[in-house]
């Protein structure tokens, strides 16, 4: 993994232990593990509008469908995205009614 200040390698076990210690100190659910950070990373990038291909490359997935499994966007994000996608369909009939 990464080189430490003593030039040794930081083991996966040490990273997991540090994460568990921080999680427990924050009072978070013990079911949360280090892999949850990967899901959070993908979700936050998605909600911030980052290109899906970039996200896919970042997490090393060959298929976009694999990346989609990692995405857990909020209901608010989904509602906003849906409103944005449907807005043109609702604006056009309203514009025609105004012109009449």
């Amino acid at each position: 993994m990464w080189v430490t200040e003593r030039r040794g390698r930081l083991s996966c076990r040490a990273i997991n232990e540090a994460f568990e210690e921080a999680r427990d100190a924050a009072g978070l659910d013990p079911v949360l593990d280090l892999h949850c950070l990967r899901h959070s990373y993908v979700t936050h990038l998605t909600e911030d509008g980052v290109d899906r291909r970039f996200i896919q490359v970042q997490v090393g997935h060959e298929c976009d469908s694999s990346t989609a499994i990692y995405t857990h966007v909020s209901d608010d994000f989904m509602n906003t995205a849906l409103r944005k996608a449907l807005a043109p369909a609702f604006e056009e009939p309203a514009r025609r009614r105004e012109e009449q």
Side-chain angles (χ1 to χ4, degrees):
M1 301 280 313
W2 298 286
V3 177
T4 67
E5 69 276 358
R6 296 186 187 120
R7 298 187 190 267
R9 298 263 179 212
L10 193 57
S11 69
C12 290
R13 182 177 176 180
I15 294 170
N16 279 324
E17 287 173 356
F19 177 81
E20 288 171 1
E21 188 177 305
R23 177 201 62 207
D24 295 344
L28 297 174
D29 192 332
V31 75
L32 297 174
D33 60 11
L34 195 54
H35 191 75
C36 291
L37 292 179
R38 191 170 159 89
H39 287 258
S40 295
Y41 180 66
V42 169
T43 298
H44 289 298
L45 290 176
T46 300
E47 289 188 339
D48 287 344
V50 174
D51 181 72
R52 292 181 59 86
R53 178 70 179 135
F54 174 82
I55 298 169
Q56 181 182 338
V57 170
Q58 282 283 291
V59 293
H61 290 160
E62 287 186 31
C63 301
D64 185 51
S65 58
S66 299
T67 308
I69 294 168
Y70 275 66
T71 307
H72 308 284
V73 295
S74 67
D75 289 343
D76 184 50
F77 176 82
M78 301 247 311
N79 290 333
T80 301
L82 185 59
R83 264 189 241 109
K84 184 177 178 181
L86 294 176
F90 288 104
E91 289 171 0
E92 188 61 33
R95 194 174 305 128
R96 277 190 251 132
R97 280 193 305 270
E98 288 173 3
E99 291 172 357
Q100 292 174 350

